[in-house]
Amino acid sequence: MNRAPAEAAAAGVLAGAKRLVIKIGSALLVDETSGAIRRDWLDGLADDVAMLRRRGSDVLIVSSGAIAVGRRHLGLTGKAPKLEEKQAAAATGQIRLAHAWQETLARHDITVAQILLTPEDTEQRRRHLNARSTIAQLLRLGAVPVINENDTVATDEIRFGDNDRLAARVAQMISADTLVLLSDIDGLYTADPRRAEGARRIDEVREVTPEIEAMAGEAPPGYSSGGMVTKLAAAKIALGAGCRMAIALGKRPHPLAALDQGAACTWFLPSAAPQTARKRWIAGHLKPVGAIIVDAGAIAALTKGKSLLPAGIAGVERAFERGDLVVVKGPDGKEVARGLSAYSSTDVDRIKGHKSGEIAQILGYRGRDEVIHRDDLVVKG
Ligand code: GLU
């Protein structure tokens, strides 16, 4: 799409973002007393999202608010709801939340896709590959994914608990380059500015050190579970994934346009790009489960940066599941690469030596064309 000249001229801090995750907390989106969604504010934010997309960024939204909206409708207005009450509230609130997003973005002809995730879905194995490719597909098709925790099925022990962390996991999973946490404060301060006189905002952080963590203090009480502590936990995940992250003031109209135009905030800046960080993680942080043996033609293709197709596979070693890390070996048994397999060892064994077009016929379902996609593959240097 053509850039509007005025927007191109005004392109600012967020202009370089190819893939941008925006996290919006309940306190911004939902009026605490009435439990109603703040439509004017939301409409302003949707205008910002449309502007960023016109400028060429993929935009994903991590939106809280299901519990805050749903509580009112179920009459759960007591101070500290129990877990199952929160989950019940989320079940009814999520519908209204998704509807509000759909309505506001429809004003810009933008299609919304709802995605509810549990920690297991973003964990770096198996289901991670599914969620990653579904989200990538939605972005290719021009939709804006609106993501929340699948609160109704999460249990006490298996919960993100807060959407700051969920947003960072999503950013990591889809190799986003920018994460913006819209907050009720315009960044990280040396101490809580509401209590400590002389507290000063930090403009830039390159590493979350114990000194930085000490600045966060305690998580505040209330229905949103965030606070600075979880924002710093999110920053650690984002930096490790090569994604820059901002803590920016959300309590203003058009908060993203303001950030883009240089409004004060705290930026957390990574040392590596997302793709490099992902490859480092694949190469260094996972234990290989099995191996795939490939022929000389496949080795040549892999070293040229291509994906691993079934045609070049000669065999498998040990059992592995889809999403597991496997070592790719040449006919001489030497490691040539390692990567995340899109198929289990049983299925690789069945499709080895065949063309990708034959996969559906052999397995009875149409999986990926690649056994290891090049984004999930690290070739030994
Ligand atoms: N998933 C929760 C909701 O939608 C919010 C979690 C959080 O406060 O970060 O209500």
Side-chain angles (χ1 to χ4, degrees):
M1 202 182 281
N2 285 336
R3 279 180 170 191
E7 276 173 13
V13 180
L14 298 175
K18 286 200 195 66
R19 202 165 260 195
L20 182 70
V21 178
I22 299 152
K23 183 262 170 177
I24 294 142
S26 306
L28 295 173
L29 203 56
V30 185
D31 184 274
E32 202 170 353
T33 30
S34 70
I37 292 173
R38 292 198 179 97
R39 270 310 290 263
D40 286 351
W41 182 85
L42 182 60
D43 287 350
L45 187 89
D47 298 345
D48 291 355
V49 168
M51 177 271 289
L52 293 169
R53 280 173 42 105
R54 279 197 300 275
R55 251 172 29 185
S57 303
D58 283 343
V59 182
L60 297 95
I61 292 163
V62 173
S63 174
S64 306
I67 298 171
V69 169
R71 279 176 71 178
R72 293 284 307 188
H73 289 276
L74 292 177
L76 296 167
T77 43
K79 262 281 160 254
K82 290 191 288 238
L83 177 65
E84 59 269 31
E85 287 174 336
K86 282 195 200 165
Q87 293 181 294
T92 171
Q94 184 61 32
I95 303 173
R96 290 179 166 84
L97 191 63
H99 194 68
W101 280 110
Q102 189 178 37
E103 271 183 5
T104 190
L105 285 166
R107 297 180 306 118
H108 296 278
D109 286 326
I110 296 172
T111 302
V112 167
Q114 173 183 263
I115 300 181
L116 300 178
L117 293 172
T118 60
E120 281 175 309
D121 301 322
T122 62
E123 198 189 280
Q124 305 283 12
R125 290 156 53 82
R126 306 192 217 301
R127 296 164 72 174
H128 150 97
L129 281 188
N130 286 344
R132 179 180 159 94
S133 46
T134 306
I135 292 174
Q137 183 65 48
L138 284 166
L139 292 171
R140 270 197 295 277
L141 294 171
V144 167
V146 173
I147 302 166
N148 197 357
E149 179 164 14
N150 197 349
D151 289 304
T152 44
V153 298
T155 67
D156 221 351
E157 305 81 47
I158 314 167
R159 280 187 65 93
F160 283 108
D162 63 79
N163 278 359
D164 293 328
R165 222 175 315 231
L166 168 64
R169 287 267 175 242
V170 167
Q172 173 187 49
M173 182 170 77
I174 55 144
S175 307
D177 51 69
T178 308
L179 166 63
V180 176
L181 303 183
L182 289 179
S183 170
D184 57 0
I185 188 165
D186 62 353
L188 172 71
Y189 280 71
T190 49
D192 187 342
R194 285 160 298 197
R195 292 195 201 110
E197 227 180 285
R200 174 173 71 68
R201 196 191 51 253
I202 315 260
D203 291 332
E204 217 175 275
V205 176
R206 286 179 186 269
E207 197 190 344
V208 182
T209 58
E211 288 79 14
I212 294 285
E213 281 182 316
M215 295 174 188
E218 299 288 312
Y223 62 83
S224 59
S225 48
M228 263 317 144
V229 178
T230 63
K231 288 183 177 44
L232 292 186
K236 276 189 180 171
I237 298 168
L239 291 185
C243 176
R244 65 175 172 159
M245 183 188 109
I247 300 176
L249 186 67
K251 275 200 164 158
R252 51 154 66 114
H254 296 283
L256 295 171
L259 176 65
D260 189 52
Q261 292 309 306
C265 71
T266 301
W267 275 108
F268 294 79
L269 300 173
S271 55
Q275 277 311 332
T276 319
R278 182 170 170 82
K279 299 230 162 177
R280 238 183 248 162
W281 162 72
I282 291 171
H285 294 278
L286 294 173
K287 252 182 80 179
V289 181
I292 294 178
I293 320 293
V294 300
D295 63 20
I299 297 179
L302 297 186
T303 42
K304 274 194 224 129
K306 300 250 164 69
S307 300
L308 177 63
L309 303 177
I313 297 177
V316 289
E317 280 176 10
R318 296 189 302 281
F320 52 84
E321 291 299 323
R322 170 179 156 66
D324 278 340
L325 181 73
V326 295
V327 171
V328 180
K329 295 179 182 175
D332 56 359
K334 274 214 195 95
E335 175 171 342
V336 249
R338 43 181 67 193
L340 305 177
S341 176
Y343 291 92
S344 69
S345 49
T346 325
D347 286 354
V348 175
D349 200 44
R350 290 169 67 195
I351 59 177
K352 69 179 184 219
H354 288 276
K355 294 211 173 70
S356 297
E358 297 172 286
I359 295 176
Q361 203 193 340
I362 299 168
L363 297 182
Y365 67 91
R366 189 173 164 199
R368 306 271 147 77
D369 286 350
E370 309 86 12
V371 172
I372 304 180
H373 190 274
R374 58 186 145 78
D375 286 354
D376 302 326
L377 188 84
V378 186
V379 179
K380 262 200 130 166

